[in-house]
Amino acid sequence: MSPEFARLRTRIMRILFAIGFVCNVWFWFYDSYQGIISARNATLTDPLLVLICAAGFIVTDISERWRIVAERSLFLAFCIGCATGVFTFGDPDPQIRLYVIADTLQWLPLISVAAFIIFPGRESIPAAVIGFLIPVATAVWVWFNSEPANWPDTTNALLLNAIIVQAISLLVLVLFSYSQAAYQQAKAQASMMESAALSDPLTGIANRRGIERALEIQGASSRQWALILLDMDYFKTVNDQWGHVFGDRVLQNVVDALRRVLREGDVIGRWGGDEFLVVSADLSAPEAEVLAEKLRQAVAVLPDDESGGVTISAGVALWDGEGGLAAALRLVDAALYRSKQMGRNRVVFA
């Protein structure tokens, strides 16, 4: 779970705890005022739900552990509340009996919904099944122990219909959970394959294909982009003298140094063997040159045992999305060529 989604989920649960508190206080006092509340609801279910909702609202922001405890306590209390409602199906007072039957049956489908909101992934399936069986088992027990006069055929019909609807709802949610899990797995695999296709396995940054895709996306906007093409000076000598293993480590160290300079939102990719392209938004020409100079200096100050003594040359050009990407790339490549011709280890603006 991403941090952003976790924070959003915490806020949503806090809102739900607040709504649950207000609603349960209302039900408790209104049913008591109307004289249609059962003894169990008055002394157990309603006070318990009010207490858990209030506690959940308070502790949700304290820690992840307390939030989980509050959420699962609320789910269990809700299931117990439905079960205590079933206990009253055999109440001798017909007014209370009919009200509690209607009230309980309207809440039963929410057991499965709550399970899939509160419990992560496939933990929600056994939680929903257990939550479903608690009131069902209670109904069976009450049915066996009730007086026939207090448990008419209409109660049997209502309860049977409710159980069937709840079972269908549970089945639909289970199937949805499995299909969602399969979709997430396929999405993760596709993302992994796309990442592998668009990233450089040695340095972890975008490869040429990845940076080209980023340029295509950014070119569709009306912003101005700074293109900075970097080339490592005399990198071939490092490979020839110290070997490719050391050369690979130099590449990684250089990329790390460059990334420390870049701003959030800047894109860097490996353009060729020892060439890198940086794309940075909303920079003026002087600002783009300053960024390129910072990149050059970041590599220049690396110790020789990390860089092999290499430096970088840089070409800089601005691109506003017009005139074609190929033309902008030719400009920045020409600027890099002039940097090499002027003695390397320098920045040249196109």
Side-chain angles (χ1 to χ4, degrees):
M1 185 185 296
S2 68
E4 293 78 10
F5 181 76
R7 286 193 292 271
L8 175 62
R9 188 184 186 283
T10 298
R11 287 196 294 269
I12 291 173
M13 288 306 304
R14 205 153 190 258
I15 292 171
L16 292 178
F17 276 123
I19 293 173
F21 175 81
V22 173
C23 290
N24 280 288
V25 168
W26 165 255
F27 294 147
W28 187 9
F29 283 99
Y30 181 78
D31 292 355
S32 299
Y33 177 77
Q34 294 294 327
I36 53 176
I37 193 169
S38 67
R40 287 188 179 88
N41 282 353
T43 59
L44 174 64
T45 307
D46 288 348
L48 181 63
L49 288 170
V50 167
L51 178 63
I52 292 175
C53 287
F57 180 82
I58 295 170
V59 306
T60 294
D61 284 337
I62 295 177
S63 70
E64 178 75 5
R65 180 180 178 183
W66 281 109
R67 179 186 62 76
I68 292 173
V69 170
E71 289 178 2
R72 299 190 179 192
S73 298
L74 178 63
F75 176 76
L76 182 59
F78 183 69
C79 295
I80 293 173
C82 290
T84 57
V86 174
F87 268 114
T88 316
F89 282 15
D91 194 286
D93 186 329
Q95 184 180 11
I96 292 179
R97 183 172 68 245
L98 289 175
Y99 175 75
V100 172
I101 289 173
D103 184 58
T104 303
L105 295 186
Q106 74 177 351
W107 292 110
L108 274 179
L110 281 181
I111 291 177
S112 298
V113 176
F116 280 82
I117 291 175
I118 292 173
F119 292 86
R122 294 189 177 177
E123 286 183 28
S124 58
I125 297 174
V129 171
I130 293 171
F132 169 65
L133 291 177
I134 289 175
V136 170
T138 305
V140 172
W141 188 87
V142 173
W143 181 75
F144 273 110
N145 292 276
S146 294
E147 294 293 333
N150 297 332
W151 194 282
D153 290 340
T154 52
T155 301
N156 289 332
L158 286 170
L159 187 58
L160 180 61
N161 288 340
I163 290 173
I164 292 173
V165 170
Q166 174 73 353
I168 293 173
S169 301
L170 179 59
L171 178 62
V172 169
L173 287 170
V174 168
L175 293 175
F176 173 76
S177 176
Y178 275 102
S179 63
Q180 186 184 44
Y183 167 75
Q184 293 293 343
Q185 183 178 7
K187 183 180 177 182
Q189 289 176 342
S191 177
M192 184 175 63
M193 292 176 66
E194 182 180 19
S195 177
L198 301 178
S199 63
D200 175 53
L202 177 63
T203 59
I205 59 176
N207 58 16
R208 183 164 185 143
R209 183 190 231 172
I211 199 75
E212 285 176 341
R213 176 172 294 189
L215 286 166
E216 289 171 3
I217 295 171
Q218 291 162 343
S221 70
S222 58
R223 303 167 73 183
Q224 178 168 268
W225 304 93
L227 305 180
I228 304 173
L229 187 59
L230 309 167
D231 184 80
M232 295 170 62
D233 302 322
Y234 304 112
F235 179 64
K236 184 177 182 301
T237 304
V238 173
N239 277 330
D240 291 343
Q241 289 186 353
W242 304 103
H244 288 280
V245 173
F246 180 72
D248 288 347
R249 193 159 69 247
V250 168
L251 280 169
Q252 293 168 336
N253 293 335
V254 166
V255 168
D256 289 341
L258 296 174
R259 293 174 79 171
R260 286 193 290 269
V261 174
L262 297 177
R263 308 173 304 166
E264 184 177 355
D266 291 344
V267 179
I268 182 172
R270 191 175 179 186
W271 195 244
D274 57 355
E275 284 187 342
F276 305 96
L277 181 63
V278 172
V279 183
S280 189
D282 302 325
L283 294 183
S284 63
E287 290 171 335
E289 286 193 81
V290 168
L291 176 58
E293 179 61 24
K294 288 181 179 179
L295 293 169
R296 186 196 66 78
Q297 291 177 4
V299 176
V301 299
L302 285 175
D304 287 351
D305 60 347
E306 293 183 17
S307 69
V310 302
T311 56
I312 59 170
S313 301
V316 184
L318 296 182
W319 178 51
D320 59 4
E322 297 183 2
L325 175 60
L329 290 173
R330 282 195 296 271
L331 274 177
V332 73
D333 190 61
L336 174 62
Y337 179 76
R338 290 203 304 275
S339 173
K340 292 285 191 181
Q341 293 296 105
M342 294 169 64
R344 296 179 170 82
N345 192 26
R346 67 190 64 235
V347 175
V348 172
F349 192 85

